Amino acid sequence: MLFKVENMSCQHCVNAVTRALQALDPAAQVRVDLARGEVEASGSFSADAAVAALAEEDYPAQRLDG
């Protein structure tokens, strides 16, 4: 899944986003592209769950890949 994520600017943001998604699935694979403001993630969670988890951490997100 690919998401456009707001409010990311530093390594702290990368860690917070990664932790939020890995809280849904500890084995989740998360790749953050700060320059593009994008997060690619795969794991046993829905896109809606990922968007909700990111929003809870103050990183509003929307899915880009359908």
Side-chain angles (χ1 to χ4, degrees):
M1 291 177 266
L2 183 65
F3 301 93
K4 182 72 173 176
V5 182
E6 298 176 34
N7 299 343
M8 297 190 306
S9 60
C10 63
Q11 193 59 41
H12 172 287
C13 301
V14 172
N15 293 337
V17 164
T18 301
R19 277 195 310 271
L21 295 174
Q22 288 181 338
L24 299 173
D25 176 5
Q29 297 294 310
V30 181
R31 186 185 62 77
V32 178
D33 185 334
L34 279 178
R36 295 178 61 118
E38 294 178 354
V39 174
E40 187 175 352
S42 61
S44 347
F45 49 81
S46 68
D48 289 343
V51 168
L54 293 170
E56 196 170 295
E57 296 295 322
D58 200 28
Y59 296 99
Q62 68 181 56
R63 189 166 180 187
L64 292 177
D65 61 350

